[in-house]
């Protein structure tokens, strides 16, 4: 069984020039080939002609990839301690006084407007911290807000909770405990 239902092979001609080139070939089930902008020799286009037939892959090669974790036991222990000893912790790009990201600035302004004391940690100072936090919280972006030892969310979640009053309630409870 093949992906292409025709009996004749498909021929593609592709020209790589200094401007984006694309080739669309309508064929049976429809095959589309698009190239990105690439310049090999602007004065003389390069043309590739190749005959091929699409065949499905029946088996995938088994590969094992080992990725080292940025969340070391030492970093996890440090994060646990910082988050447990502070009622409100914001891991952000920049500092309270000099946020270096609009999202971080938004969360800082929300917390300041609520007169909430919080610890701010600049994740830009340490790449291992930045990568480890992504694993620690299972959240890929910053800022990351923690309230009473629990991950609360990023900027969008914080803004939404602030607008509907849930953030104020949660922070009042946290400050009283």
């Amino acid at each position: 069984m093949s992906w292409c239902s025709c009996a004749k092979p498909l021929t593609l001609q592709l020209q790589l020039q200094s401007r984006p080139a694309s080739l669309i070939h309508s064929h049976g089930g429809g095959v589309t080939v698009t190239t990105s902008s690439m310049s090999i020799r602007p004065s003389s286009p390069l043309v590739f002609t190749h005959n091929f037939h699409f065949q499905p892959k029946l088996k995938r090669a088994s590969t094992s990839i080992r990725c080292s974790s940025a969340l070391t036991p030492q970093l996890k222990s440090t994060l646990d301690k910082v988050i447990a000893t502070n009622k409100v912790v914001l891991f952000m790009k920049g500092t309270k006084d000099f946020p270096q990201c609009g999202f971080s600035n938004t969360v800082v302004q929300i917390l300041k407007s609520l007169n909430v004391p919080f610890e701010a940690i600049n994740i830009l100072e340490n790449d291992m911290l930045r990568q480890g936090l992504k694993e620690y919280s299972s959240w890929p972006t910053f800022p990351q807000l923690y309230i009473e030892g629990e991950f609360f969310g990023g900027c969008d979640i914080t803004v939404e909770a602030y607008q509907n009053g849930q953030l104020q309630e949660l922070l009042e409870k946290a400050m009283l405990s």
Side-chain angles (χ1 to χ4, degrees):
M1 177 186 227
S2 68
W3 291 99
C4 180
S5 60
C6 72
K8 52 188 173 180
L10 174 66
T11 301
L12 295 179
Q13 288 187 342
L14 183 63
Q15 291 186 349
L16 300 175
Q17 300 173 348
S18 60
R19 58 180 165 36
S22 63
L23 172 70
I24 299 173
H25 177 75
S26 225
H27 179 262
V31 175
T32 302
V33 177
T34 306
T35 64
S36 62
S37 178
M38 179 186 281
S39 176
I40 295 177
R41 282 187 205 143
S43 60
S44 168
L46 182 61
V47 177
F48 293 100
T49 303
H50 184 72
N51 293 333
F52 58 94
H53 223 67
F54 292 105
Q55 296 291 328
K57 289 184 179 181
L58 299 177
K59 293 183 182 178
R60 289 188 176 177
S62 170
T63 58
S64 175
I65 300 172
R66 293 191 95 189
C67 298
S68 63
S69 174
L71 185 61
T72 64
Q74 297 85 359
L75 178 56
K76 183 182 181 319
S77 174
T78 301
L79 291 171
D80 286 341
K81 184 177 177 182
V82 168
I83 292 168
T85 58
N86 295 284
K87 292 186 181 200
V88 181
V89 181
L90 180 63
F91 293 94
M92 61 179 287
K93 293 179 180 178
T95 64
K96 288 182 194 182
D97 298 322
F98 189 63
Q100 295 182 350
C101 157
F103 299 114
S104 293
N105 183 49
T106 298
V107 176
V108 166
Q109 295 309 314
I110 288 172
L111 295 174
K112 284 183 175 181
S113 75
L114 296 172
N115 295 318
V116 175
F118 64 99
E119 183 67 35
I121 312 281
N122 184 357
I123 55 108
L124 296 176
E125 293 178 346
N126 185 314
D127 190 52
M128 185 70 105
L129 171 64
R130 184 170 58 250
Q131 296 306 319
L133 265 167
K134 291 176 184 181
E135 294 175 46
Y136 185 84
S137 64
S138 298
W139 193 261
T141 60
F142 293 96
Q144 293 183 7
L145 181 62
Y146 287 78
I147 301 173
E148 285 200 298
E150 297 290 325
F151 175 66
F152 181 75
C155 181
D156 291 345
I157 291 170
T158 303
V159 168
E160 183 179 331
Y162 174 71
Q163 290 173 340
N164 67 27
Q166 291 175 335
L167 182 62
Q168 293 88 326
E169 290 177 27
L170 182 61
L171 289 170
E172 285 174 9
K173 287 178 187 176
M175 294 301 118
L176 294 174
S177 66

